[in-house]
Amino acid sequence: REKRCGTVKKIVTSDTKAEDLVGVTWVVGDLRFGRDISDSSSDDDWHFVDEDVPVQASGIRCVEGDLSITNTKSAADLSSLANLAVIEGNLQIFSNDQLTTLKALDGITTIGGELTISYNDQLTTLTGLDDITTIGGDLWISYNDQL
């Protein structure tokens, strides 16, 4: 795993900020970018590292947990995640009003859990997901008005 993921690990906690991801190649725990879309989530499990996908995340190759990109502020693409190859948990891309493309995710080959892509009103293509060979759970693609 180290050959693929690198050796610079970061355990994500409720104190993790975007600047803590500089140089990190391997994230342990759930990684969330965006903003909470409900008023009910207030515990550490729903800590958001940044309101968008920050450039500081550009070295991440593996997420040992879930990756959630939800209700981002202005992300039109996910270029900061271009080095990502493996997500051991779920990948959720949900309710991102400005997101138009997933092309930067073209390095992902494995998602250990489910893949959900929903309510991304400006998303026009699924190009970028072509190299995914394994999804360990369900695949949900729904309510993306431009697809």
Side-chain angles (χ1 to χ4, degrees), residues 78-100:
L78 303 174
S79 57
S80 295
L81 297 176
N83 288 315
L84 195 58
V86 175
I87 300 166
E88 291 188 4
N90 300 321
L91 173 57
Q92 180 183 36
I93 302 170
F94 186 82
S95 193
N96 298 288
D97 293 339
Q98 304 302 315
L99 185 64
T100 60

Side-chain angles (χ1 to χ4, degrees), residues 63-79:
V63 176
E64 192 176 321
D66 296 341
L67 174 60
S68 177
I69 302 162
T70 305
N71 196 26
T72 53
K73 192 173 179 180
S74 61
D77 64 50
L78 303 174
S79 57

Side-chain angles (χ1 to χ4, degrees), residues 4-65:
R4 183 174 216 176
C5 296
T7 57
V8 183
K9 290 185 185 181
K10 174 68 181 169
I11 297 173
V12 176
T13 68
S14 61
D15 295 323
T16 303
K17 304 287 184 235
E19 55 270 14
D20 298 329
L21 300 176
V22 172
V24 171
T25 60
W26 186 345
V27 173
V28 178
D30 297 338
L31 183 59
R32 292 184 170 83
F33 299 117
R35 297 168 288 169
D36 193 356
I37 57 174
S38 73
D39 294 326
S40 61
S41 297
S42 60
D43 63 340
D44 288 348
D45 188 46
W46 282 99
H47 170 72
F48 289 87
V49 172
D50 197 81
E51 288 189 348
D52 278 313
V53 181
V55 68
Q56 292 93 333
S58 63
I60 296 173
R61 295 185 217 158
C62 298
V63 176
E64 192 176 321

Side-chain angles (χ1 to χ4, degrees), residues 81-85 102-109 127-132:
L81 297 176
N83 288 315
L84 195 58
L102 303 175
K103 188 169 173 37
L105 301 181
D106 64 355
I108 297 175
T109 58
T127 300
L129 303 178
D130 311 70
D131 290 337
I132 295 174

